[in-house]
Amino acid sequence: MRRVLTTLMILLVVLVAGISALVLLVNPNDFRAYMVQQVEARSGYQLQLDEPLRWHVWPQLSILSGRMSLTAPGASTPLVSAANMRLDVELWPLLSHQLHVKQVMLKGAVIQLTPQTKAARKPDAPVAPDDNPMPQVDADRGWSYAISRLQVADSVLVFQHENEEQVTVRDIRLNMEQDASYHAVVDFSGRINRNQRDLTLAMKANIDAADYPHNLDAAIEQFDWQLKGGDVAPQGISGTATLNARWQEAQKRISFSNLNVTANDSTLSGQGSVVLNDTPDWALDLHFDKLNLENLLSGQTMTDASSDAAQKGQAQAKLLPRPVIASDSSEPEYTSLRGFTARVALTAGQIRWRGMDFTDVSSEMTNQAGLLTLSTLQGKMGNGTLSLPGRLDVRGRTPKSAFKPTLENVEIGTILKAFDYPIALTGAISMNSDFTGNQVDAMAFRHDWQGSAHLEMANVQMEGLNFQQLIQQAVARSSDVKVEQDYDNTTRLDALSTDLELDHGTVTLSDLQGSSPLIALDGQGTLDLVNEESDTQFNVRVLSGWNGGNSELITFLRKTPIPISVYGKWDALQYNLKIDQVLRDHLQGEAKRRLNKWADRNKDSKYSEDVKKLLEKM
């Protein structure tokens, strides 16, 4: 055992002595000019080392540098600058005058991917052939240079595309290992803070750079992210992603496939590509198994539009408006649509938005530098279907929109509740319409849109007013007619139809027709979408519910429309029932009929002439 220990100690002393001798005999600054020369020869980039190099022996033989920078040819700003750089080198190659760098570590680095750091080719510079420009180890040289690992810590990445705003990624941690075939394994994490939003990223990927810069392939095996703050939903948004991606330099094209993304409880899959020309050209084919916009969009989540709530109408108070991020009102809306072209095919199994649940949604849309065309946008909602084809043109100063919504058997109570309309109305609506306007949002629709539509509804219930009850109770108070006791405060119709015209917030209803076994009505009126007021007139015939009394009067009431006016705020409607005038007209008519009959029977009577004169005055 003593001999073994002695032998180990001798070997350790020899190793320490050898390393010490190497450190004393080999000056790391001898590699300084060589590294600068090799970086420029093989990449064209200019490496600048501001401070002398020095050895660092434990726990890894390394060369330490102070501040350094790496600048692309023709660029005005360094692509990479760092406060410290460490080169972990192999020991034995140094004995044969070879510098093999196993790992490069940058600490406190600033990486700038901006137009100022982009390489600029001289007009008279030759164009390189389309082959593999990756450096190859040349055995004939006295020195060689190779890197297998890269580590970046506590650093910052600044990204900017042309004239767009800068995006800064902070707290970067990067570990990359590369083999001789230029296959790399990357482990990256960072944080982006912008507009009071905080985005945390973490990624693991396999990269094939064998044909770089002509082609670059990446398989992202794990991508975790979390977004919080600002106007993001209070619970934040977090999820994971996996995909395969490829960069093609000649076409300036990024393509991706096998995309799988989760965001809270939403899931997305698909494929697509983008060509990064002056006007980027997108092609996307995406599918959502589930898309819950209530958990992704900012603001208070809408409550469930349950079937019970749909039956009871709009009993809940309106939600307070949410604050929005201020913007320059002088800028045209949707200007971002002008900056790209796109072809998008989208399908979704389930979508939830503002308390409404959609299924089997499909959409095909294109954008031509500001002309957004939705050739198909359709889906199911409950037992009904809806379609919303249209277009949005933002190529001019003012947006122009045109849509043709089509609904078939859709529950209207759910829609009214989703957009906070305090109208206690439910029923299955079918609609064909044609609307035009400017901005595409609910507020603009209420104020500025125009168009027309034809509506048909089934199983209609309007809470707060029972037309049958109002008329029958008024008749019972003014006559001996008896009616059935009905305490239901709802007007029910089997069918209701109308034509409407929308003009800057005013909806005009015409040819309004409704029927049920109990009542039949027609009418017209206006609705004020901005002030949430109505002014409507109905003519209602009560067909059933009369128990007894004057049979002639009951027969008359079944055939005679009773005028009812409904007006005022939607959440506090008022009505005016003109039953007294109808009853007076009926009594007057009955009196005329009887007097005429008497006069006809008593033509020879001295009072007959007086009765006829009286009838003429009535």
Side-chain angles (χ1 to χ4, degrees):
M1 177 60 79
R2 182 178 299 177
R3 292 181 179 179
V4 174
L5 293 176
T6 301
T7 301
L8 292 177
M9 291 298 296
I10 292 173
L11 291 175
L12 181 60
V13 170
V14 172
L15 180 61
V16 172
I19 296 177
S20 300
L22 179 63
V23 171
L24 293 174
L25 296 176
V26 179
N27 185 353
N29 289 284
D30 293 342
F31 303 122
R32 183 190 188 97
Y34 171 73
M35 288 189 294
V36 172
Q37 176 188 356
Q38 289 298 306
V39 169
E40 184 174 7
R42 301 191 180 193
S43 66
Y45 284 73
Q46 180 65 47
L47 174 64
Q48 180 176 341
L49 303 173
D50 294 338
E51 299 178 13
L53 305 180
R54 61 188 186 277
W55 286 113
H56 182 75
V57 177
W58 185 262
Q60 165 69 45
L61 182 60
S62 307
I63 297 177
L64 300 183
S65 167
R67 178 164 294 279
M68 59 79 63
S69 63
L70 186 66
T71 306
S76 59
T77 304
L79 175 67
V80 179
S81 59
N84 294 283
M85 180 176 68
R86 189 185 78 198
L87 307 177
D88 296 338
V89 301
E90 296 183 9
L91 175 61
W92 298 114
L94 289 175
L95 301 178
S96 58
H97 299 283
Q98 292 182 340
L99 178 63
H100 280 239
V101 180
K102 297 189 297 183
Q103 176 172 280
V104 176
M105 178 182 178
L106 301 177
K107 187 175 179 64
V110 177
I111 306 169
Q112 300 187 72
L113 302 177
T114 66
Q116 292 75 23
T117 64
K118 187 177 180 180
R121 187 175 66 87
K122 296 181 180 180
D124 57 347
V127 179
D130 187 13
D131 58 4
N132 184 2
M134 294 301 298
Q136 303 292 329
V137 176
D138 191 350
D140 296 334
R141 296 181 180 179
W143 299 91
S144 64
Y145 185 77
I147 299 175
S148 59
R149 297 187 186 93
L150 173 65
Q151 182 178 1
V152 180
D154 300 332
S155 301
V156 174
L157 169 65
V158 179
F159 175 81
Q160 183 183 24
H161 180 67
E162 298 304 330
N163 296 323
E164 298 178 0
E165 295 185 21
Q166 288 187 353
V167 177
T168 303
V169 185
R170 306 181 186 278
D171 300 336
I172 288 179
R173 181 187 61 81
L174 171 66
N175 288 310
M176 184 179 73
E177 295 187 11
Q178 179 180 243
D179 61 18
S181 301
Y182 305 106
H183 294 162
V185 178
V186 177
D187 187 353
F188 169 86
S189 65
R191 179 177 58 85
I192 301 175
N193 187 280
R194 188 182 182 191
N195 293 334
Q196 299 182 353
R197 305 184 188 99
D198 192 80
L199 175 62
T200 304
L201 307 171
M203 179 187 71
K204 293 182 179 179
N206 292 319
I207 298 177
D208 183 0
D211 195 25
Y212 181 82
H214 304 298
N215 295 295
L216 181 66
D217 295 300
I220 300 177
E221 300 177 345
Q222 179 181 350
F223 189 92
D224 300 328
W225 57 278
Q226 185 178 48
L227 179 63
K228 290 185 175 181
D231 57 352
V232 178
Q235 72 276 15
I237 306 173
S238 61
T240 62
T242 60
L243 73 149
N244 296 328
R246 186 174 210 195
W247 164 254
Q248 296 171 287
E249 173 66 24
Q251 296 85 4
K252 301 295 182 183
R253 183 174 184 265
I254 300 175
S255 58
F256 62 88
S257 60
N258 298 325
L259 173 68
N260 290 283
V261 180
T262 64
N264 292 352
D265 58 344
S266 300
T267 58
L268 168 67
S269 60
Q271 57 189 3
S273 65
V274 56
V275 179
L276 299 178
N277 296 325
D278 293 337
T279 301
D281 183 19
W282 289 84
L284 301 175
D285 184 1
L286 305 176
H287 173 74
F288 291 92
D289 287 333
K290 180 180 180 181
L291 176 58
N292 188 348
L293 294 173
E294 294 185 354
N295 283 342
L296 300 178
L297 300 180
S298 61
Q300 183 175 354
T301 302
M302 297 291 293
T303 56
D304 291 340
S306 63
S307 59
D308 180 66
Q311 292 294 328
K312 293 182 179 179
Q314 313 307 313
Q316 290 135 333
K318 291 177 13 178
L319 298 175
L320 293 176
R322 299 186 294 267
V324 296
I325 296 178
S327 61
D328 185 358
S329 59
S330 64
E331 287 295 322
E333 295 290 336
Y334 315 111
T335 53
S336 59
L337 292 174
R338 302 177 185 176
F340 68 94
T341 61
R343 298 169 303 283
V344 180
L346 186 148
T347 59
Q350 302 177 45
I351 295 181
R352 182 168 181 80
W353 178 58
R354 299 181 71 98
M356 297 182 289
D357 292 309
F358 305 91
T359 58
D360 299 335
V361 177
S362 62
S363 175
E364 293 184 2
M365 63 187 77
T366 60
N367 178 48
Q368 296 295 327
L371 178 59
L372 177 64
T373 302
L374 283 77
S375 56
T376 302
L377 178 55
Q378 60 188 16
K380 298 179 181 178
M381 180 178 172
N383 296 323
T385 60
L386 69 163
S387 175
L388 190 65
R391 60 178 173 80
L392 170 63
D393 189 350
V394 298
R395 294 173 296 181
R397 179 68 180 177
T398 304
K400 296 179 181 179
S401 305
F403 288 86
K404 296 184 177 181
T406 300
L407 283 70
E408 188 70 32
N409 199 36
V410 174
E411 174 55 52
I412 190 174
T414 304
I415 299 176
L416 294 174
K417 180 180 179 181
F419 291 97
D420 304 328
Y421 282 123
I423 302 178
L425 178 67
T426 61
I429 182 174
S430 298
M431 179 181 74
N432 291 311
S433 59
D434 189 351
F435 295 113
T436 59
N438 43 36
Q439 300 181 40
V440 184
D441 59 54
M443 186 61 68
F445 183 83
R446 299 183 189 188
H447 285 80
D448 303 320
W449 280 55
Q450 304 175 66
S452 60
H454 176 73
L455 280 70
E456 295 183 358
M457 296 180 61
N459 301 320
V460 182
Q461 298 186 36
M462 185 173 66
E463 293 194 11
L465 290 174
N466 187 330
F467 287 167
Q468 176 195 7
Q469 182 187 69
L470 294 176
I471 293 173
Q472 290 184 332
Q473 289 181 349
V475 171
R477 288 193 297 267
S478 303
S479 67
D480 60 348
V481 175
K482 297 180 180 179
V483 298
E484 296 178 358
Q485 294 296 326
D486 185 2
Y487 300 100
D488 188 3
N489 198 26
T490 303
T491 297
R492 289 179 168 83
L493 297 171
D494 293 341
L496 178 67
S497 65
T498 185
D499 294 322
L500 67 82
E501 295 287 336
L502 172 64
D503 186 10
H504 294 86
T506 300
V507 176
T508 302
L509 305 175
S510 60
D511 194 20
L512 185 63
Q513 303 286 335
S515 62
S516 75
L518 300 179
I519 64 173
L521 61 82
D522 60 70
Q524 60 185 5
T526 60
L527 303 176
D528 188 337
L529 300 183
V530 178
N531 298 314
E532 298 186 349
E533 296 178 346
S534 67
D535 184 7
T536 53
Q537 297 79 40
F538 299 95
N539 298 310
V540 183
R541 291 187 296 118
V542 179
L543 308 177
S544 181
W546 307 103
N547 278 342
N550 189 332
S551 60
E552 293 182 359
L553 178 58
I554 293 175
T555 302
F556 169 79
L557 291 172
R558 286 173 177 170
K559 296 180 179 179
T560 303
I562 307 300
I564 299 180
S565 298
V566 180
Y567 57 92
K569 291 288 186 180
W570 292 346
D571 54 358
L573 288 174
Q574 304 178 56
Y575 71 94
N576 183 14
L577 176 61
K578 300 179 180 179
I579 189 65
D580 294 337
Q581 182 64 43
V582 173
L583 292 177
R584 282 195 298 268
D585 292 343
H586 170 70
L587 292 176
Q588 186 176 13
E590 182 66 17
K592 285 183 178 182
R593 185 186 66 82
R594 293 189 179 188
L595 288 174
N596 271 319
K597 187 177 180 181
W598 183 90
D600 291 340
R601 287 199 311 264
N602 301 274
K603 293 181 179 180
D604 299 332
S605 173
K606 62 179 181 178
Y607 300 109
S608 176
E609 196 67 28
D610 295 335
V611 170
K612 290 182 179 181
K613 291 181 180 180
L614 177 63
L615 290 173
E616 291 176 358
K617 294 180 181 180
M618 293 179 64

